[in-house]
């Protein structure tokens, strides 16, 4: 909320302009934090009157609750008394003949009153007001320019603070975007959703990226089941003209693709096939998985956003591995075998396996034999890095064997409360571009725009490892049940 008034002496000489900006979603959140003790923000005129009184600009007579010397001065943070109760914390200050004020959200109950230093909204609100001051000040001597800037201020706040949280406080940097911002206060299209803070002008362009992360726990033990799962995110950026353009995007699966489950969509999606939401990874006995097509009609936000996220249970992990670690005297003998599944695209951005050795001293002696790639020792001498590179050999199988000897422990020795003794793991890091484990993809014909002009469609895919562990099969390892694996 920003208030501006021209003052003359100790009273208001002329009310030049009053430009409030309210955020109903923020007021709803404030009420949820305080319940029955919530104080509703009064109408603009009533708030202005109460604020001027608190700042001693309309009544300079002594008022005990306001002017007593026992009251702690916390300016520019004030408590403004209204008919409905005291509004706190109101951030306000006077610069020249203008008043700048806002009421930030406190993300906790106000009784008992929290410390000012613990409320991040106060500093954010003050920073936004200073940004407004910096934008308004250069035009103070020119009344016409001042009126013009004030008229543009509503549009600036739509971009700088679209839903109540300041995203950009340097309002001067937004000056070039005036033509792309609609004035919601008087001339806005009633069909334009709140998440479209500005409109695009130019040739239509849609960018879609499907990013899948695969998590895996491999034990290679008869009494322990290996577990793995895919987590996907579809990110979009739609540069399309219009206040509320309609877009439909379809995710496709090949014939042998793994169905998408646990689908969660962005709030801009206007309708959805209920069958898509029924497929859940929790109920393993449910064989009614929805296999597509997965259609998402939506009105896109102005910026990049996550259209949807999903999980999937693929039949096999991309890389199967076996890790064995045995202690022989003062040495550890290790063996790692990796196999890339034949269905996986053999073209990596990077691929490496890391063998950490916890709770031991630095490695003083290393012997190894590697069938493919190269082995490096970290600077701290507690980690072996097997750099596999961008491709597996034609056999799709590689191996690493060897022994390590350790020196005495030091203060820099890495420790771990889980990996004690021979309980250890190999962790894989890799990224495969233009590939998804589910087979999910987007093609040119699966994106439909109900707007003039032929759109340019750019789509990409990637598969990234995330918490991909292969545990030592010769020792116990931490077990995670499938329902808790996330």
């Amino acid at each position: 909320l920003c208030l501006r008034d021209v003052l003359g002496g100790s009273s208001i000489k002329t009310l030049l302009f009053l430009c409030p900006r309210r955020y109903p979603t923020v007021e709803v959140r404030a009420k949820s934090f305080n319940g029955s003790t919530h104080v509703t923000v009064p109408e603009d005129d009533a708030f202005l009157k109460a604020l001027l009184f608190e700042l001693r600009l309309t009544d300079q007579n002594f008022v005990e609750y306001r002017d007593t010397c026992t009251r702690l001065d916390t300016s520019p943070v004030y408590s403004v008394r209204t008919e409905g109760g005291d509004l706190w914390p109101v951030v306000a200050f006077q610069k020249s003949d203008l008043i700048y004020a806002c009421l930030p959200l406190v993300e906790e109950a106000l009784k008992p009153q929290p410390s000012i230093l613990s409320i991040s909204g106060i500093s954010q609100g003050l920073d936004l007001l200073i940004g407004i001051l910096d934008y308004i000040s250069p035009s103070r001597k020119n009344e016409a320019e001042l009126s013009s800037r004030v008229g543009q201020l509503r549009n600036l706040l739509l971009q700088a603070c679209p839903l109540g949280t300041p995203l950009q406080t340097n309002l001067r940097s937004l000056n070039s975007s005036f033509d792309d911002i609609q004035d919601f206060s008087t001339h806005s299209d009633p069909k334009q959703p709140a998440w479209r803070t500005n409109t695009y002008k130019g040739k239509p362009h849609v960018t879609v990226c499907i990013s899948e992360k695969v998590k895996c726990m491999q034990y290679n033990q008869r009494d322990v089941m290996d577990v793995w799962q895919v987590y996907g995110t579809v990110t979009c950026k739609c540069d399309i003209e219009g206040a509320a353009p309609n877009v439909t995007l379809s995710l496709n699966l090949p014939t042998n693709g793994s169905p998408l489950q646990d689908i969660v969509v962005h709030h801009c999606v206007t309708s959805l096939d209920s069958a898509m939401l029924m497929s859940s990874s929790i109920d393993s006995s449910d064989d009614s998985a929805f296999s597509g097509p997965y259609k998402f009609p939506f009105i896109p936000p102005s910026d990049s956003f996550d259209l949807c996220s999903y999980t999937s249970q693929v039949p096999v992990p991309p890389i199967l591995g076996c890790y064995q670690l045995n202690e022989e005297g003062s040495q550890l003998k290790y063996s790692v075998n990796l196999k890339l599944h034949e269905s996986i695209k053999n073209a990596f951005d990077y691929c490496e396996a890391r063998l950490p050795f916890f709770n031991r001293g630095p490695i003083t002696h290393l012997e190894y034999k590697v069938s493919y790639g190269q082995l490096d020792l970290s600077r701290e001498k507690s980690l072996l890095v097997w750099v596999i590179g961008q491709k597996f050999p034609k056999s799709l199988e590689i191996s690493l064997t060897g022994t390590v000897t350790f020196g005495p422990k030091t203060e820099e020795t890495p420790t771990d409360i889980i990996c004690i003794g021979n309980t250890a793991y190999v962790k894989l890091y890799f990224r495969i571009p233009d590939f998804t484990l589910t087979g999910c993809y987007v093609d040119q014909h699966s994106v439909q725009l109900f707007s003039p002009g032929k759109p340019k469609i750019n789509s990409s895919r990637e598969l990234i490892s995330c918490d991909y562990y292969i545990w030592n099969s010769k020792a116990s390892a931490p077990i995670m049940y499938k329902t808790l694996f996330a």
Side-chain angles (χ1 to χ4, degrees):
L1 181 66
C2 181
L3 306 175
R4 295 160 299 278
D5 294 274
V6 175
L7 305 176
S10 61
S11 61
I12 300 179
K13 182 178 180 181
T14 306
L15 179 60
L16 183 61
F17 37 72
L18 173 64
C19 181
R21 182 77 173 100
R22 289 174 178 263
Y23 296 93
T25 54
V26 177
E27 293 190 50
V28 170
R29 291 182 63 196
K31 188 173 182 180
S32 68
F33 282 118
N34 294 279
S36 60
T37 62
H38 172 69
V39 178
T40 303
V41 180
E43 295 299 321
D44 301 333
D45 291 341
F47 178 82
L48 173 60
K49 182 179 179 180
L51 176 62
L52 295 176
F53 181 82
E54 176 63 30
L55 297 178
R56 304 183 77 248
L57 295 173
T58 55
D59 186 351
Q60 293 187 342
N61 296 322
F62 178 82
V63 179
E64 184 173 358
Y65 86 86
R66 182 190 66 183
D67 303 318
T68 176
C69 61
T70 59
R71 184 182 182 186
L72 182 64
D73 182 13
T74 59
S75 60
V77 180
Y78 299 91
S79 178
V80 176
R81 181 162 295 186
T82 68
E83 291 186 0
D86 291 347
L87 283 177
W88 182 90
V90 176
V91 179
F93 62 86
Q94 180 182 352
K95 185 66 175 178
S96 299
D97 52 1
L98 302 182
I99 296 175
Y100 303 83
C102 70
L103 178 60
L105 173 67
V106 180
E107 297 183 300
E108 58 181 301
L110 295 179
K111 292 184 179 181
Q113 193 175 97
S115 169
I116 291 177
L117 296 178
S118 67
I119 303 174
S120 61
I122 291 178
S123 58
Q124 292 177 350
L126 184 60
D127 196 23
L128 180 62
L129 293 181
I130 292 174
I132 296 174
L133 168 66
D134 184 57
Y135 173 72
I136 293 291
S137 292
S139 62
R140 292 297 300 119
K141 296 181 180 181
N142 187 318
E143 201 67 36
E145 184 182 351
L146 175 61
S147 298
S148 175
R149 292 209 173 199
V150 170
Q152 294 168 337
L153 193 56
R154 281 184 178 273
N155 293 339
L156 283 176
L157 289 176
L158 284 173
Q159 192 173 32
C161 196
L163 297 176
T165 300
L167 304 179
Q168 171 65 280
T169 58
N170 182 6
L171 271 64
R172 286 187 179 185
S173 66
L174 304 177
N175 191 31
S176 61
S177 302
F178 287 148
D179 293 339
D180 295 335
I181 306 175
Q182 293 190 349
D183 187 350
F184 277 53
S185 60
T186 56
H187 306 294
S188 63
D189 188 335
K191 295 181 180 180
Q192 181 161 348
W195 56 85
R196 281 188 68 81
T197 57
N198 56 59
T199 55
Y200 171 79
K201 292 184 179 180
K203 294 182 179 180
H205 188 189
V206 177
T207 302
V208 185
C209 177
I210 303 177
S211 179
E212 290 188 351
K213 294 182 178 180
V214 55
K215 292 187 177 183
C216 187
M217 290 278 179
Q218 297 183 37
Y219 300 98
N220 290 286
Q221 297 182 10
R222 290 184 178 180
D223 57 340
V224 181
M225 182 182 296
D226 296 344
V227 289
W228 58 89
Q229 193 165 31
V230 173
Y231 299 82
T233 303
V234 180
T235 303
C236 298
K237 177 71 167 67
C238 300
D239 294 325
I240 308 170
E241 290 187 351
N246 290 303
V247 182
T248 297
L249 183 147
S250 297
L251 301 180
N252 304 302
L253 291 178
T255 305
N256 59 344
S258 300
L260 309 185
Q261 300 173 307
D262 307 321
I263 297 175
V264 178
V265 300
H266 192 275
H267 56 75
C268 71
V269 175
T270 54
S271 63
L272 205 61
D273 188 337
S274 59
M276 292 170 53
L277 303 178
M278 297 299 291
S279 181
S280 172
S281 61
I282 296 178
D283 188 0
S284 58
S285 62
D286 184 10
D287 58 356
S288 61
F290 185 77
S291 58
Y294 303 88
K295 290 188 177 182
F296 300 89
F298 59 94
I299 300 174
S302 304
D303 300 317
S304 178
F305 69 102
D306 292 340
L307 175 64
C308 70
S309 60
Y310 59 85
T311 68
S312 183
Q313 281 291 343
V314 295
V316 292
I319 299 177
L320 292 169
C322 179
Y323 180 34
Q324 293 186 347
L325 184 68
N326 291 303
E327 192 165 356
E328 297 182 355
S330 60
Q331 293 182 332
L332 283 181
K333 185 176 181 180
Y334 61 89
S335 172
V336 184
N337 293 280
L338 301 177
K339 180 179 181 180
L340 179 68
H341 194 270
E342 55 269 15
S343 64
I344 306 302
K345 180 181 178 182
N346 191 9
F348 295 78
D349 265 357
Y350 58 85
C351 183
E352 66 180 38
R354 299 182 183 181
L355 289 70
F357 295 95
F358 298 111
N359 309 308
R360 305 175 189 275
I363 296 175
T364 57
H365 183 72
L366 170 64
E367 293 183 3
Y368 67 92
K369 180 180 180 181
V370 60
S371 67
Y372 193 81
Q374 65 181 46
L375 188 68
D376 297 326
L377 177 62
S378 69
R379 180 179 301 179
E380 298 79 12
K381 297 185 178 181
S382 60
L383 176 71
L384 299 183
V385 181
W386 182 9
V387 180
I388 299 166
Q390 297 181 321
K391 223 174 182 185
F392 274 64
K394 290 184 178 181
S395 65
L396 303 181
E397 295 186 44
I398 56 177
S399 63
L400 167 68
T401 58
T403 59
V404 287
T405 305
F406 303 91
K409 292 183 181 180
T410 64
E411 293 182 357
E412 291 77 22
T413 297
T415 59
D416 188 280
I417 59 174
I418 294 178
C419 296
I420 304 296
N422 288 348
T423 298
Y425 62 79
V426 173
K427 188 173 183 180
L428 298 185
Y429 297 82
F430 58 83
R431 177 182 181 271
I432 306 178
D434 194 27
F435 180 80
T436 53
L437 203 54
T438 60
C440 185
Y441 68 95
V442 174
D443 61 27
Q444 297 279 341
H445 303 289
S446 68
V447 180
Q448 298 178 351
L449 272 67
F450 301 92
S451 63
K454 185 177 181 180
K456 181 180 179 181
I457 311 295
N458 288 336
S459 62
S460 61
R461 302 187 297 171
E462 64 177 3
L463 176 66
I464 304 174
S465 65
C466 177
D467 297 334
Y468 204 106
Y469 293 93
I470 302 171
W471 291 90
N472 177 23
S473 60
K474 296 295 184 180
S476 59
I479 306 300
M480 301 179 70
Y481 290 102
K482 181 180 178 182
T483 55
L484 299 178
F485 186 64

